[in-house]
Amino acid sequence: LILFQKGQTTTPPPFEIFFCFGEEWPDQKPKEKKLITVQVVPVAARLLLEMFSGELSWSADSIPLQISHPDLKDKMVEQFKELHQLWQNQQRLPPPPPEPG
């Protein structure tokens, strides 16, 4: 990421993490042919890359979640939005007074 940020490489670093369940991997089969694969994209890594490439347009509504069960997806998105709102509110609070000592 640092080399990309400094312009020493034109290719951004990969930050996706792939998991394969129920089969050996890596092997000769492409990951698209595997029975169960999961792609995890760490939000912090994506944000850093977007920040360094000037493409930062992130908001809590922009995180694409692809989960099989729609009820679970809805609940997770709402929980994430709530956590994001709590974090934003916490950023606005004045710092606590220093402890006497």
Side-chain angles (χ1 to χ4, degrees):
L1 183 60
I2 293 170
L3 294 176
F4 180 71
Q5 189 262 340
K6 290 181 176 181
Q8 296 176 0
T9 181
T10 57
T11 308
F15 52 84
E16 297 92 356
I17 302 166
F18 291 92
F19 295 97
C20 177
F21 296 95
E23 294 180 68
E24 290 292 324
W25 189 48
D27 60 8
Q28 301 302 318
K29 290 169 61 175
K31 66 181 174 281
E32 294 81 15
K33 298 288 185 181
K34 292 297 183 177
L35 181 62
I36 301 171
T37 58
V38 176
Q39 178 186 14
V40 177
V41 179
V43 173
R46 189 182 74 196
L47 286 174
L48 286 172
L49 180 62
E50 289 176 357
M51 202 167 43
F52 287 139
S53 63
E55 299 174 5
L56 184 60
S57 60
W58 180 81
S59 73
D61 297 327
S62 71
I63 296 177
L65 295 177
Q66 298 174 351
I67 300 172
S68 298
H69 194 278
D71 294 334
L72 179 59
K73 175 186 171 198
D74 295 339
K75 185 174 182 180
M76 288 181 70
V77 168
E78 289 307 314
Q79 288 174 344
F80 185 81
K81 286 180 181 180
E82 185 178 336
L83 286 172
H84 185 256
Q85 186 65 42
L86 288 170
W87 179 79
Q88 284 182 325
N89 291 341
Q90 186 179 26
Q91 298 303 312
R92 293 185 200 123
L93 293 176
E99 293 186 25

